[in-house]
Amino acid sequence: MKLDIAVLSGDGIGPEVTAQAIKALEAIAHNFDHSFIFKEGLVGAIAIDKTGNPLPDETLKLCVDTDAVLFGAIGAPKYDNDPSAPVRPEQGLLKLRKELGLYANIRPVKAYPTLIDKSPLKREIIEGTDISIYRELTGGIYFGKKELSDNGNVASDLCEYSREEIERIAHLAFKAAQNRRKKVTLVDKANVLESSRLWRKVVTEIASEYSDVTLDFLFVDNAAMQMILNPSQFDVILTENMFGDIISDEASVIGGSIGLLASASVGDTCCMFEPIHGSFPQATGKGIANPIAAILSAAMLLEHFNLIGEANAIKDAVEKALELNITTPDLNANNPLTTEKVGDFIADYILNPEDSNINFENIHVGQSTII
Ligand code: IPM
Ligand code: MG
């Protein structure tokens, strides 16, 4: 298969982790005889610095013209600490999601058996956790009308949803559940919010088309509690934009590091793949960022194009790295490897799984050579 892939590595640790994802994809292309062409574009704070715009038109065009987008991270402290900044890096990401019509953000959360003792949560609580979060990504409070009164003392953000916006992601969530453990949990705040009551009504109607899937409901405050009390009860979680943002960061502690969580954002015509961690500015250039979320995002890209064997080859290599403790300091305080070395190991393992033990030795002395 030939795929043109836009690479928007963005800010902070974005470029270094994205480079590892590209290495993994190059190894896949080599082994499975595909052709992946990578085309870089500017986004985020670095794009503001260079062009004044967090999403230059050229970048948007690149994303529209390619088959998929591989995204790194955006954000920089100089903007976080300045609420009155006229342009913000995040606007680039939000505009990209909206313009590409990426209405469904899929965030898998898994407790890897080899990492169970690294999670701050107890083994018996997280064992067996395997969740797929379906977060609505182009509506709700993120995109509703924003107002600030003339005197600057009153502000509001509108949370608006239409039936159509709810239906299209709900169908994706139910279809996903049909191939999993056949349960969808709608997370909302229907005891308070009108928009949540519309979600319940529409999702309940759609559930009747998927009679093999069970639908249940949780208020978001309770869901936040259940996520750390009993996460293995969840299969597919379906939720609106802001609740999904919050719940997915919370869920990331289950796996032991936010540096493991990948995501796919899909719409009717475009798709984008990104680690859910942010730009982690303090770590930039130090080689301590975990590249696994970015690498697993590349696996989600392959899955999206139905390259299942290829995606599994990446996942197997990641599991091997975790098993052998070939990991960055977030997971390996005593004998950590750098971002690049973890990426080297994973790419090497994809190319040549039998040779992994030799590579393991080499990795530690910095002699990994393949690619
Ligand atoms: C995420 C991030 C973004 C969001 C930010 C960077 C705008 O937190 O992808 O979860 O809130 O959606
Ligand atoms: Mg977030």
Side-chain angles (χ1 to χ4, degrees):
M1 184 181 280
K2 179 177 176 305
L3 288 176
D4 281 345
I5 301 173
V7 177
L8 274 49
S9 51
D11 302 323
I13 59 167
E16 50 201 285
V17 296
T18 307
Q20 312 315 313
I22 291 176
K23 260 187 337 210
L25 286 171
E26 280 172 342
I28 293 290
H30 181 271
N31 266 20
F32 291 83
D33 210 13
H34 297 304
S35 162
F36 300 149
I37 317 268
F38 300 98
K39 301 180 174 174
E40 289 184 18
L42 282 174
V43 76
I46 182 163
I48 301 179
D49 292 345
K50 291 197 174 153
T51 70
N53 183 349
L55 180 66
D57 292 346
E58 216 180 299
T59 302
L60 184 57
K61 183 169 182 318
L62 173 74
C63 295
V64 171
D65 291 345
T66 43
D67 300 302
V69 181
L70 198 58
F71 196 91
I74 54 161
K78 67 177 172 189
Y79 298 98
D80 293 346
N81 303 331
D82 177 10
S84 62
V87 275
R88 315 184 61 78
E90 288 78 5
Q91 288 164 346
L93 179 58
L94 297 182
K95 184 166 177 215
L96 192 60
R97 290 172 176 170
K98 193 73 170 179
E99 296 278 334
L100 298 182
L102 305 172
Y103 58 79
N105 180 225
I106 303 147
R107 299 185 162 186
V109 176
K110 214 172 126 176
Y112 286 94
T114 45
L115 293 182
I116 275 195
D117 296 319
K118 304 246 160 79
S119 171
L121 301 176
K122 291 196 186 87
R123 165 180 284 271
E124 54 276 23
I125 289 192
I126 60 170
E127 223 153 34
T129 298
D130 181 358
I131 307 173
S132 190
I133 299 176
Y134 275 66
R135 166 189 177 194
E136 202 291 328
L137 203 60
T138 51
I141 198 165
Y142 273 58
F143 291 94
K145 191 167 177 201
K146 300 183 185 312
E147 281 181 309
L148 182 64
S149 67
D150 289 341
N151 65 7
N153 291 334
V154 182
S156 65
D157 299 272
L158 179 68
C159 179
E160 191 172 56
Y161 268 109
S162 68
R163 166 178 280 277
E164 195 223 339
E165 285 174 307
I166 300 167
E167 280 173 354
R168 59 190 183 179
I169 185 167
H171 281 294
L172 293 184
F174 279 101
K175 288 193 178 111
Q178 284 183 317
N179 292 318
R180 296 174 45 98
R181 300 194 310 280
K182 302 189 169 44
K183 179 175 163 186
V184 170
T185 302
L186 176 64
V187 170
D188 64 23
K189 190 72 187 173
N191 51 346
V192 176
L193 301 178
E194 201 57 52
S195 52
S196 285
R197 288 191 276 274
L198 182 64
W199 271 83
R200 274 205 188 199
K201 180 169 182 287
V202 172
V203 171
T204 305
E205 284 169 22
I206 287 175
S208 65
E209 296 173 38
Y210 300 87
S211 52
D212 53 336
V213 178
T214 311
L215 170 66
D216 67 2
F217 309 98
L218 271 187
F219 295 141
V220 63
D221 46 353
N222 187 11
M225 184 171 72
Q226 296 298 327
M227 186 59 82
I228 47 170
L229 275 182
N230 180 13
S232 62
Q233 70 182 288
F234 296 116
D235 179 19
V236 172
I237 290 181
L238 169 62
T239 192
E240 62 96 71
N241 203 342
M242 173 113 112
F243 298 158
D245 180 43
I246 298 168
I247 284 276
S248 59
D249 264 30
E250 189 193 9
S252 74
V253 301
I254 294 170
S257 169
I258 194 168
L260 295 172
L261 287 205
S263 83
S265 301
V266 301
D268 293 329
T269 54
C270 299
C271 56
M272 178 160 106
F273 303 86
E274 63 177 301
I276 88 151
H277 60 67
S279 57
F280 195 11
Q282 310 84 319
T284 308
K286 294 193 179 145
I288 57 173
N290 190 339
I292 290 182
I295 293 171
L296 289 174
S297 299
M300 292 187 85
L301 182 156
L302 297 170
E303 267 165 12
H304 182 81
F305 291 96
N306 227 1
L307 302 175
I308 306 301
E310 289 83 337
N312 287 341
I314 292 194
K315 291 190 208 167
D316 289 349
V318 165
E319 293 205 11
K320 195 70 181 178
L322 296 175
E323 192 188 307
L324 296 174
N325 213 9
I326 298 184
T327 46
T328 42
D330 50 321
L331 292 171
N332 185 353
N334 297 328
N335 190 16
L337 282 114
T338 63
T339 309
E340 199 183 348
K341 288 283 181 273
V342 173
D344 281 347
F345 173 82
I346 289 171
D348 283 6
Y349 188 86
I350 293 167
L351 285 172
N352 193 359
E354 287 81 46
D355 204 21
S356 66
N357 289 334
I358 297 167
N359 288 332
F360 174 57
E361 303 278 305
N362 288 347
I363 287 274
H364 277 283
V365 292
Q367 289 174 351
S368 173
T369 47
I370 305 179
I371 294 202

